[in-house]
Amino acid sequence: MNRFVVRKAAVLGAGVMGAQIAAHLVNCKVPVILFDLPAKEGPKNGIVTKAVENLKKLKPSPLGVAGDAVLIEQANYEEHLTRLGECDLVIEAIAERMDWKLDLYARVAPALAPHAIVASNTSGLSITKLSEALPESIRPRFCGIHFFNPPRYMQLVELIATPATKPEVLDRLESFVTSTLGKSVVRAKDTPNFVANRVGIAGMLATMKEAENFGLSYDVVDDLTGKKLGRASSGTFRTADVVGLDTMAHVIKTMQDTLAGDPFHPMYATPPVLAALIGKGALGQKSGAGFFKKVGKDILRLDPAKADYVAGGGKAEAIVERMLKKPAAERLKLLRESSHPQAQFLWAILRDGFHYAAVHLEAIADSARDVDFAMRWGFGMKQGPFELWQEAGWQPVAQWVKEDIDAGKALSKAPLPGWVFDGPVPQRGVHTPEGSWSPATKSYVPRSSLPVYLRQHFPENVLGSGAVSALKSGTEVWKNDHVRLWTLDGEVLIASITSKLHLIGPTVGEGLVKALDLAEAGYKGLVIWSPDDVFSAGANLEEVMPIFMKSGVKGVVEASSGLQAALLRMRYSPVPVVAAVRGMALGGGCELAVHCARRVAAMESYMGLVEVGVGLLPAGGGLTYIARRAAEMAAAGNANADLQKFLADGFMNAASAKVGTSALESRKLGYLQSSDIVVAHKDELLHVALTQVQAMSESGWRPPLKALFPVAGRSGIATVKFNLVNLRDGGFISAHDFHIGTLIAEVLCGGDVDAGSLVSEEYLMKLESQRFAALLGHPKTQERIMGMLQTGKPVRN
């Protein structure tokens, strides 16, 4: 794959989006200069400096590591325009004012490098019109690039060409955005608000209108239109608050001004309640009030009739919840035929979504797949509108929508387009193994064939595409109830944990041992990978407790010793073992990862030893790993270095259950090492992990030699306990937290031995097992375990 090499990028505009785009470039190790106007008072870079400082305060953090804000270079248009010549990519992200953008383009154009790609991060302005302000030499290198907010976390980026944009420019940019920035790309046509916002905001407006029609309160609507409907948990009105009501109003205004001929144009009128809130300065989350308002711990909802906030918490009715759990065809039929207002409301918004997407598909996107992906990646939907329509039965749903249009129940009189009823779609659906339907070409369009997508063994797919799931692919070599061993190429073995949340228990341990047997006998190495957002959430307590009840401490020690032996065997295996980490790697999942030869981690990986949350300590070698790494770092720094100093951070991370909020922070916590690889795009993770095993094997991989290492001993334990006493007596931790912390210190420091004593990993792991089993029999720990199993929340006792 020929990469578009971005040695340095520039972002023009240090507002909310511009600063966060710059932050994500830094996350992905792309050097970046952030520009804005010169400050009228104080240092000329004052506006940018303030924006960069604000990045450190935002939650969720736009930076993988807050300290990396210093890596964003600061500049202003008055003093530093010539620095644009250093940049291979320039992203404009100033306010959504056509006149301001055109003025800026005229100003920066002479300073741009002759090869640089220039892109506007507009959410809906015409890219073609913007390009007209640029010299003809730049127009072939200009396009739209629409990040969704917040840029680090939102998967979608829309790319928009102008008639003058060279195809190869968009191809290079798509490859860079996909592989380097980890985003998923939809190519949108140059129409107002592009794809996701066009369909998504229309859907939100329809939801607001239908909520009013059926007399439903905002909290009830959000409960109905959140996870229960397979959409983002924030629902509709809470999402509007998070986005910002002024931002939403701006997007609506764009639709009002630019879509006069749209048959849905009356729907684009700004809802009176939205206008009233904005008039009062209630702009949503950023102003402290919008459709909802937080007062203390209570969430109040706006009551439009009273023009005031009242108690919230309204939920979907149980009968409607049961309907939503049915298969798609039965679900939609029940909703449509029900007399319950909540069910009628849900059918209405689904019908409106199908209607709108079908009428506008040809104008806004190349295929139905692009609309469905845009709604998944940009609005957090589990399925896009066309996927749900096809799953529920194309022809009956089309007929229901037509009947509602004819009866005047829909939000527009526009008929469904002819392709809905005629041609291949009624028989085959919009999504097929051949591709997805394109009304413009009257054919099924396959997915992009850009080389960057060859790195994605199992990319996201739409329903109906015929894609085989990862866990049914390749050649299966062995399988038990919780582990599948398989291979794609016959050279590298893959182990996929299939238990719920990929929890680790005896069955998983058995599978890992079998994986090592097979890998060492006939493969170049082993990759541990699963195709979702959980690497492993830790130990399977539901399997541990019965062992304890039946066999007591002895049984638990035997079980944990078995897992420890498997992980040590993995660490010293003669073939390389690579953990492909994505999402949660907690407790035992973190221990599994750190004992591999190497880790390949997706950017959004969250690693940590969290056992104290259920009143336990790590028992799969996690504390042993911290002690060994501390000894190695002390030896590497200074033969006479104070080992206690290197242990301190590791102890606090384990004792406080600290979890890295990104792969970058997990590296800072010590759960990833400098030699480990962070992968931006989740769907490239398996490719990179397999490539690493191949490279390590071809390079003559040898495991580390077993060696003894020094521990801090009794004096180290005493130092830790002194600090714990202060925390306990100050009321910061409970007596049981103090007890757990003391046991963690005993393991990390090697127990009752002299400082500097040399110990083995097996010795420390035995201490882990003993302390773990002792805690398992403690009533306070059992309270924490039962609380977690019953409520999913930690108990503090």
Side-chain angles (χ1 to χ4, degrees):
M1 182 181 79
N2 292 324
R3 291 181 177 273
F4 167 45
V5 179
V6 179
R7 286 158 292 198
K8 184 171 287 186
V11 177
L12 310 182
V16 173
M17 283 300 290
Q20 291 195 60
I21 291 170
H24 190 61
L25 287 164
V26 165
N27 291 338
C28 299
K29 300 191 181 305
V30 179
V32 61
I33 310 173
L34 181 59
F35 280 82
D36 211 304
L37 295 166
K40 294 179 180 177
E41 297 179 0
K44 290 288 181 70
N45 284 341
I47 294 173
V48 177
T49 300
K50 183 178 179 180
V52 171
E53 286 301 309
N54 190 53
L55 289 172
K56 302 175 187 177
K57 305 172 188 175
L58 291 177
K59 298 294 179 185
S61 176
L63 290 155
V65 176
D68 283 352
V70 70
L71 300 177
I72 299 174
E73 297 184 56
Q74 302 180 20
N76 64 80
Y77 304 126
E78 183 177 300
E79 298 177 305
H80 307 116
L81 269 188
T82 56
R83 297 206 60 194
L84 287 173
E86 307 169 20
C87 302
D88 304 299
L89 173 64
V90 177
I91 299 173
E92 171 270 305
I94 69 170
E96 292 286 273
R97 283 272 303 268
M98 180 71 75
D99 54 340
W100 291 359
K101 290 178 185 285
L102 297 181
D103 286 346
L104 179 62
Y105 291 1
R107 187 172 186 178
V108 303
L112 297 171
H115 66 281
I117 293 178
V118 185
S120 173
N121 181 62
T122 177
S123 61
L125 296 179
S126 168
I127 302 301
T128 301
K129 188 170 182 181
L130 287 171
S131 72
E132 293 169 359
L134 291 167
E136 287 191 19
S137 61
I138 297 175
R139 292 178 193 175
R141 297 180 276 118
F142 178 78
C143 64
I145 182 169
H146 182 208
F147 289 85
F148 276 64
N149 190 20
R152 171 184 162 187
Y153 301 96
M154 295 302 291
Q155 197 174 345
L156 178 63
V157 167
E158 293 174 319
L159 295 182
I160 310 97
T162 75
T165 307
K166 285 186 176 179
E168 59 266 32
V169 165
L170 226 59
D171 289 349
R172 289 176 199 152
L173 189 56
E174 180 167 350
S175 298
F176 170 78
V177 167
T178 300
S179 197
T180 303
L181 301 189
K183 298 303 170 188
S184 296
V185 171
V186 165
R187 293 201 186 187
K189 294 184 179 181
D190 191 8
T191 56
N193 294 336
F194 311 127
V195 179
N197 273 346
R198 178 72 175 274
V199 177
I201 296 299
M204 291 178 75
L205 287 169
T207 300
M208 292 178 181
K209 179 65 175 173
E210 300 291 7
E212 183 181 350
N213 290 345
F214 290 97
L216 302 182
S217 61
Y218 302 140
D219 49 356
V220 169
V221 169
D222 277 5
D223 192 51
L224 287 167
T225 59
K227 286 189 175 180
K228 291 181 175 68
L229 199 62
R231 298 183 178 182
S233 58
S234 52
T236 300
F237 292 97
R238 177 63 182 152
T239 296
D241 276 354
V242 171
V243 169
L245 302 190
D246 53 341
T247 302
M248 184 177 176
H250 174 81
V251 177
I252 294 171
K253 182 70 163 56
T254 300
M255 297 169 87
Q256 292 169 1
D257 293 345
T258 58
L259 296 172
D262 190 322
F264 287 80
H265 191 266
M267 191 176 78
Y268 304 148
T270 304
V273 64
L274 179 64
L277 285 169
I278 293 171
K280 291 190 295 187
L283 305 179
Q285 183 173 277
K286 59 187 172 186
S287 67
F291 289 106
F292 296 95
K293 180 180 181 180
K294 189 173 183 180
V295 178
K297 294 184 178 180
D298 297 324
I299 304 294
L300 307 182
R301 66 168 175 85
L302 180 68
D303 183 336
K306 297 179 179 179
D308 200 1
Y309 292 91
V310 299
K315 300 289 184 181
E317 294 282 355
I319 187 172
V320 179
E321 282 196 62
R322 289 195 293 272
M323 292 180 195
L324 290 174
K325 293 176 181 178
K326 300 292 185 181
E330 185 179 356
R331 183 192 326 148
L332 265 61
K333 187 174 188 294
L334 286 170
L335 292 173
R336 183 171 187 265
E337 294 177 353
S338 172
S339 60
H340 196 292
Q342 291 185 8
Q344 291 177 332
F345 160 77
L346 287 170
W347 162 251
I349 65 170
L350 292 171
R351 174 204 63 215
D352 296 339
F354 299 148
H355 187 193
Y356 192 90
V359 168
H360 292 95
L361 172 58
E362 182 170 357
I364 65 174
D366 289 333
S367 75
R369 179 180 52 248
D370 292 331
V371 171
D372 283 343
F373 275 157
M375 299 313 296
R376 275 207 225 165
W377 299 333
F379 278 77
M381 291 186 175
K382 187 177 179 180
Q383 290 180 306
F386 292 115
E387 288 181 285
L388 176 57
W389 186 346
Q390 180 162 330
E391 184 184 14
W394 187 268
Q395 295 187 58
V397 172
Q399 187 60 35
W400 294 341
V401 174
K402 180 181 184 302
E403 289 173 6
D404 280 10
I405 296 169
D406 294 343
K409 295 179 180 179
L411 295 180
S412 169
K413 295 179 181 179
L416 290 170
W419 57 264
V420 170
F421 298 102
D422 299 318
V425 171
Q427 282 71 44
R428 302 185 63 194
V430 285
H431 301 306
T432 70
E434 182 184 337
S436 293
W437 183 253
S438 168
T441 63
K442 295 181 175 56
S443 65
Y444 289 102
V445 177
R447 293 190 70 159
S448 171
S449 59
L450 284 177
V452 68
Y453 295 116
L454 298 178
R455 297 167 58 86
Q456 300 180 5
H457 287 293
F458 301 101
E460 279 194 58
N461 276 286
V462 287
L463 182 80
S465 65
V468 180
S469 71
L471 295 181
K472 293 181 180 178
S473 297
T475 302
E476 189 170 291
V477 178
W478 183 88
K479 184 180 182 180
N480 67 10
D481 287 344
H482 291 158
V483 176
R484 179 185 191 238
L485 305 182
W486 54 293
T487 182
L488 282 173
D489 57 8
E491 296 188 337
V492 179
L493 189 66
I494 302 168
S496 296
I497 302 174
T498 58
S499 54
K500 181 182 178 182
L501 294 176
H502 307 162
L503 295 174
I504 298 172
T507 311
V508 171
E510 173 197 346
L512 294 176
V513 170
K514 185 67 174 179
L516 290 169
D517 289 343
L518 293 171
E520 291 171 6
Y523 293 87
K524 290 184 176 180
L526 172 66
V527 167
I528 302 173
W529 172 85
S530 298
D532 56 27
D533 285 322
V534 181
F535 178 72
S536 170
N540 192 333
L541 296 176
E542 291 180 339
E543 288 190 9
V544 173
M545 287 303 290
I547 295 173
F548 176 74
M549 298 302 291
K550 181 180 180 181
S551 306
V553 170
K554 181 181 178 182
V556 173
V557 170
E558 287 178 358
S560 63
S561 297
L563 177 61
Q564 291 171 348
L567 296 187
L568 276 182
R569 181 179 165 190
M570 190 173 292
R571 169 168 161 73
Y572 294 106
S573 174
V575 296
V577 181
V578 172
V581 179
R582 170 180 162 197
M584 293 188 293
L586 306 178
C590 183
E591 292 172 308
L592 172 58
V594 299
H595 281 88
C596 291
R598 183 164 295 171
R599 286 138 297 279
V600 175
M603 179 71 73
E604 297 306 324
S605 296
Y606 314 110
M607 302 180 70
L609 300 173
V610 297
E611 286 83 354
V612 296
V614 287
L616 294 168
L617 54 71
L623 298 180
T624 300
Y625 167 79
I626 291 173
R628 174 177 59 78
R629 287 290 295 151
E632 290 170 352
M633 289 187 290
N638 184 332
N640 299 312
D642 180 7
L643 181 60
Q644 191 74 35
K645 180 180 72 173
F646 289 93
L647 273 177
D649 286 345
F651 169 80
M652 285 306 299
N653 293 339
S656 63
K658 187 171 180 60
V659 175
T661 58
S662 67
L664 303 179
E665 190 178 19
S666 296
R667 176 180 278 156
K668 198 171 182 181
L669 296 179
Y671 300 127
L672 295 177
Q673 298 179 29
S674 58
S675 58
D676 294 332
I677 296 169
V678 175
V679 178
H681 201 294
K682 61 183 178 58
D683 291 339
E684 292 189 1
L685 191 64
L686 180 58
H687 165 80
V688 176
L690 293 171
T691 303
Q692 286 298 305
V693 167
Q694 291 276 7
M696 293 164 76
S697 176
E698 293 299 319
S699 301
W701 162 258
R702 294 293 303 168
L705 295 174
K706 283 194 175 185
L708 303 179
F709 53 89
V711 290
R714 285 182 292 270
S715 60
I717 297 170
T719 300
V720 173
K721 286 185 70 174
F722 177 78
N723 293 326
L724 287 173
V725 166
N726 291 335
L727 290 172
R728 181 195 62 195
D729 294 348
F732 296 103
I733 61 174
S734 69
H736 193 48
D737 291 326
F738 174 83
H739 178 56
I740 298 168
T742 300
L743 297 185
I744 290 174
E746 289 177 3
V747 176
L748 285 177
C749 297
D752 188 16
V753 298
D754 295 333
S757 296
L758 298 177
V759 302
S760 67
E761 289 167 293
E762 288 86 351
Y763 168 80
L764 286 186
M765 283 185 170
K766 186 175 181 180
L767 290 183
E768 282 188 30
S769 290
Q770 292 171 347
R771 280 18 176 218
F772 178 87
L775 281 171
L776 198 59
H778 198 292
K780 293 286 188 181
T781 286
Q782 291 177 7
E783 285 178 18
R784 293 190 183 188
I785 291 173
M786 293 309 296
M788 179 63 75
L789 291 176
Q790 291 170 2
T791 68
K793 297 179 181 179
V795 174
R796 284 288 163 229
N797 54 1

mmCIF file of all heavy atoms in Angstrom, residues 172-190:
data_model
loop_
_atom_site.group_PDB
_atom_site.id
_atom_site.type_symbol
_atom_site.label_atom_id
_atom_site.label_comp_id
_atom_site.label_asym_id
_atom_site.label_seq_id
_atom_site.Cartn_x
_atom_site.Cartn_y
_atom_site.Cartn_z
ATOM 1 N N ARG A 172 -5.805 9.159 -1.657
ATOM 2 C CA ARG A 172 -4.692 9.292 -0.706
ATOM 3 C C ARG A 172 -5.210 9.730 0.659
ATOM 4 O O ARG A 172 -4.787 9.219 1.699
ATOM 5 C CB ARG A 172 -3.672 10.312 -1.219
ATOM 6 C CG ARG A 172 -2.859 9.854 -2.396
ATOM 7 C CD ARG A 172 -1.951 10.976 -2.873
ATOM 8 N NE ARG A 172 -1.497 10.759 -4.237
ATOM 9 C CZ ARG A 172 -1.168 11.727 -5.080
ATOM 10 N NH1 ARG A 172 -1.269 12.997 -4.700
ATOM 11 N NH2 ARG A 172 -0.754 11.442 -6.287
ATOM 12 N N LEU A 173 -6.125 10.695 0.637
ATOM 13 C CA LEU A 173 -6.646 11.206 1.898
ATOM 14 C C LEU A 173 -7.462 10.141 2.617
ATOM 15 O O LEU A 173 -7.376 9.998 3.845
ATOM 16 C CB LEU A 173 -7.498 12.458 1.641
ATOM 17 C CG LEU A 173 -7.944 13.231 2.894
ATOM 18 C CD1 LEU A 173 -6.746 13.640 3.749
ATOM 19 C CD2 LEU A 173 -8.752 14.463 2.495
ATOM 20 N N GLU A 174 -8.246 9.370 1.883
ATOM 21 C CA GLU A 174 -9.029 8.305 2.506
ATOM 22 C C GLU A 174 -8.117 7.275 3.153
ATOM 23 O O GLU A 174 -8.390 6.797 4.262
ATOM 24 C CB GLU A 174 -9.941 7.630 1.477
ATOM 25 C CG GLU A 174 -10.781 6.511 2.057
ATOM 26 C CD GLU A 174 -11.900 6.034 1.138
ATOM 27 O OE1 GLU A 174 -12.158 6.701 0.115
ATOM 28 O OE2 GLU A 174 -12.531 5.006 1.455
ATOM 29 N N SER A 175 -7.039 6.931 2.481
ATOM 30 C CA SER A 175 -6.100 5.963 3.049
ATOM 31 C C SER A 175 -5.465 6.496 4.325
ATOM 32 O O SER A 175 -5.324 5.777 5.318
ATOM 33 C CB SER A 175 -5.008 5.624 2.030
ATOM 34 O OG SER A 175 -5.575 5.027 0.881
ATOM 35 N N PHE A 176 -5.088 7.773 4.333
ATOM 36 C CA PHE A 176 -4.481 8.393 5.510
ATOM 37 C C PHE A 176 -5.473 8.460 6.668
ATOM 38 O O PHE A 176 -5.151 8.092 7.808
ATOM 39 C CB PHE A 176 -3.999 9.807 5.144
ATOM 40 C CG PHE A 176 -3.580 10.631 6.337
ATOM 41 C CD1 PHE A 176 -2.353 10.430 6.933
ATOM 42 C CD2 PHE A 176 -4.410 11.620 6.846
ATOM 43 C CE1 PHE A 176 -1.960 11.186 8.038
ATOM 44 C CE2 PHE A 176 -4.029 12.393 7.935
ATOM 45 C CZ PHE A 176 -2.799 12.166 8.532
ATOM 46 N N VAL A 177 -6.675 8.909 6.383
ATOM 47 C CA VAL A 177 -7.699 9.047 7.429
ATOM 48 C C VAL A 177 -8.045 7.677 8.012
ATOM 49 O O VAL A 177 -8.263 7.539 9.221
ATOM 50 C CB VAL A 177 -8.955 9.731 6.851
ATOM 51 C CG1 VAL A 177 -10.140 9.611 7.796
ATOM 52 C CG2 VAL A 177 -8.665 11.205 6.575
ATOM 53 N N THR A 178 -8.054 6.647 7.174
ATOM 54 C CA THR A 178 -8.407 5.305 7.627
ATOM 55 C C THR A 178 -7.292 4.690 8.456
ATOM 56 O O THR A 178 -7.485 4.312 9.618
ATOM 57 C CB THR A 178 -8.714 4.401 6.421
ATOM 58 O OG1 THR A 178 -9.802 4.951 5.691
ATOM 59 C CG2 THR A 178 -9.067 2.994 6.874
ATOM 60 N N SER A 179 -6.102 4.573 7.872
ATOM 61 C CA SER A 179 -5.039 3.811 8.509
ATOM 62 C C SER A 179 -4.295 4.599 9.571
ATOM 63 O O SER A 179 -3.953 4.068 10.629
ATOM 64 C CB SER A 179 -4.049 3.315 7.454
ATOM 65 O OG SER A 179 -3.248 2.282 7.972
ATOM 66 N N THR A 180 -4.027 5.875 9.331
ATOM 67 C CA THR A 180 -3.252 6.668 10.280
ATOM 68 C C THR A 180 -4.124 7.261 11.375
ATOM 69 O O THR A 180 -3.748 7.271 12.551
ATOM 70 C CB THR A 180 -2.494 7.798 9.554
ATOM 71 O OG1 THR A 180 -1.656 7.222 8.548
ATOM 72 C CG2 THR A 180 -1.631 8.589 10.532
ATOM 73 N N LEU A 181 -5.308 7.754 11.025
ATOM 74 C CA LEU A 181 -6.181 8.387 12.025
ATOM 75 C C LEU A 181 -7.226 7.424 12.587
ATOM 76 O O LEU A 181 -7.928 7.771 13.540
ATOM 77 C CB LEU A 181 -6.872 9.616 11.416
ATOM 78 C CG LEU A 181 -5.957 10.718 10.878
ATOM 79 C CD1 LEU A 181 -6.782 11.955 10.516
ATOM 80 C CD2 LEU A 181 -4.867 11.088 11.880
ATOM 81 N N GLY A 182 -7.364 6.242 12.000
ATOM 82 C CA GLY A 182 -8.259 5.234 12.560
ATOM 83 C C GLY A 182 -9.731 5.494 12.338
ATOM 84 O O GLY A 182 -10.576 4.977 13.067
ATOM 85 N N LYS A 183 -10.066 6.274 11.318
ATOM 86 C CA LYS A 183 -11.469 6.616 11.074
ATOM 87 C C LYS A 183 -12.064 5.750 9.966
ATOM 88 O O LYS A 183 -11.362 5.131 9.181
ATOM 89 C CB LYS A 183 -11.586 8.103 10.697
ATOM 90 C CG LYS A 183 -11.109 9.042 11.795
ATOM 91 C CD LYS A 183 -11.853 8.804 13.086
ATOM 92 C CE LYS A 183 -11.268 9.541 14.257
ATOM 93 N NZ LYS A 183 -11.899 9.141 15.532
ATOM 94 N N SER A 184 -13.386 5.752 9.921
ATOM 95 C CA SER A 184 -14.105 5.035 8.865
ATOM 96 C C SER A 184 -14.732 6.059 7.937
ATOM 97 O O SER A 184 -15.440 6.962 8.388
ATOM 98 C CB SER A 184 -15.172 4.127 9.482
ATOM 99 O OG SER A 184 -14.556 3.127 10.266
ATOM 100 N N VAL A 185 -14.475 5.917 6.660
ATOM 101 C CA VAL A 185 -14.780 6.968 5.689
ATOM 102 C C VAL A 185 -16.045 6.651 4.902
ATOM 103 O O VAL A 185 -16.261 5.519 4.461
ATOM 104 C CB VAL A 185 -13.595 7.159 4.712
ATOM 105 C CG1 VAL A 185 -13.975 8.075 3.557
ATOM 106 C CG2 VAL A 185 -12.385 7.720 5.465
ATOM 107 N N VAL A 186 -16.879 7.672 4.748
ATOM 108 C CA VAL A 186 -17.989 7.653 3.795
ATOM 109 C C VAL A 186 -17.761 8.807 2.833
ATOM 110 O O VAL A 186 -17.524 9.941 3.262
ATOM 111 C CB VAL A 186 -19.354 7.822 4.507
ATOM 112 C CG1 VAL A 186 -20.452 8.178 3.506
ATOM 113 C CG2 VAL A 186 -19.728 6.551 5.257
ATOM 114 N N ARG A 187 -17.810 8.512 1.540
ATOM 115 C CA ARG A 187 -17.703 9.584 0.552
ATOM 116 C C ARG A 187 -19.103 10.137 0.286
ATOM 117 O O ARG A 187 -20.003 9.392 -0.123
ATOM 118 C CB ARG A 187 -17.063 9.081 -0.737
ATOM 119 C CG ARG A 187 -15.601 8.690 -0.529
ATOM 120 C CD ARG A 187 -14.847 8.694 -1.831
ATOM 121 N NE ARG A 187 -13.494 8.185 -1.673
ATOM 122 C CZ ARG A 187 -12.588 8.210 -2.637
ATOM 123 N NH1 ARG A 187 -12.897 8.706 -3.848
ATOM 124 N NH2 ARG A 187 -11.373 7.731 -2.447
ATOM 125 N N ALA A 188 -19.247 11.414 0.568
ATOM 126 C CA ALA A 188 -20.558 12.056 0.437
ATOM 127 C C ALA A 188 -20.593 12.928 -0.800
ATOM 128 O O ALA A 188 -19.561 13.436 -1.255
ATOM 129 C CB ALA A 188 -20.841 12.900 1.679
ATOM 130 N N LYS A 189 -21.795 13.116 -1.329
ATOM 131 C CA LYS A 189 -21.966 14.062 -2.421
ATOM 132 C C LYS A 189 -22.042 15.475 -1.842
ATOM 133 O O LYS A 189 -22.374 15.668 -0.671
ATOM 134 C CB LYS A 189 -23.226 13.725 -3.216
ATOM 135 C CG LYS A 189 -23.124 12.380 -3.942
ATOM 136 C CD LYS A 189 -24.339 12.100 -4.817
ATOM 137 C CE LYS A 189 -24.196 10.766 -5.536
ATOM 138 N NZ LYS A 189 -25.353 10.457 -6.412
ATOM 139 N N ASP A 190 -21.720 16.456 -2.675
ATOM 140 C CA ASP A 190 -21.664 17.845 -2.201
ATOM 141 C C ASP A 190 -23.069 18.440 -2.134
ATOM 142 O O ASP A 190 -23.457 19.283 -2.938
ATOM 143 C CB ASP A 190 -20.763 18.672 -3.133
ATOM 144 C CG ASP A 190 -20.452 20.051 -2.545
ATOM 145 O OD1 ASP A 190 -20.801 20.285 -1.371
ATOM 146 O OD2 ASP A 190 -19.883 20.887 -3.274
#
